[in-house]
Amino acid sequence: MSEQDAVIWLIIFGLAAGSFAIRLSGFLLAQRLPRTGPWARGLEALPGCLIIALVALLMVQGGPVEWAGGAVALGVAFAFRNVPLSMIAGMAAVAILRALG
């Protein structure tokens, strides 16, 4: 085996060990998280807050087309209370408006 092959295998095993360590640490950390109380409620709300923050940033940086897509997504979210459907509707609205404009 050449030196280059050895380096490639070392990188592969190193990345595998790193991936396993990240997954294991997440599993071990999840066991220590509170299941009730204010911290648990905050952690449950976190994914939605992150999505809203990302969408708000993109809308602030965007123009009228992105604002219209956000309005469509918001309307679908209020009407159907379905996050994936809201995201698809917003993306479709932006795609259609960009194609027309």
Side-chain angles (χ1 to χ4, degrees):
M1 179 178 343
S2 70
E3 184 179 334
Q4 186 178 11
D5 290 341
V7 169
I8 290 172
W9 281 108
L10 183 64
I11 290 171
I12 290 171
F13 286 126
L15 291 173
S19 177
F20 179 75
I22 288 170
R23 289 174 182 256
L24 181 63
S25 63
F27 176 74
L28 295 174
L29 179 64
Q31 292 178 345
R32 299 177 138 281
L33 293 176
R35 299 200 190 321
T36 59
W39 280 101
R41 288 193 306 273
L43 290 172
E44 287 175 9
L46 189 60
C49 294
L50 292 173
I51 289 172
I52 289 172
L54 291 172
V55 169
L57 177 66
L58 292 173
M59 287 183 64
V60 167
Q61 294 174 346
V65 171
E66 287 78 13
W67 281 90
V72 168
L74 185 64
V76 171
F78 278 124
F80 297 102
R81 304 255 184 231
N82 187 326
V83 174
L85 182 62
S86 303
M87 292 171 55
I88 291 169
M91 289 187 299
V94 169
I96 291 169
L97 290 172
R98 285 183 181 171
L100 294 176

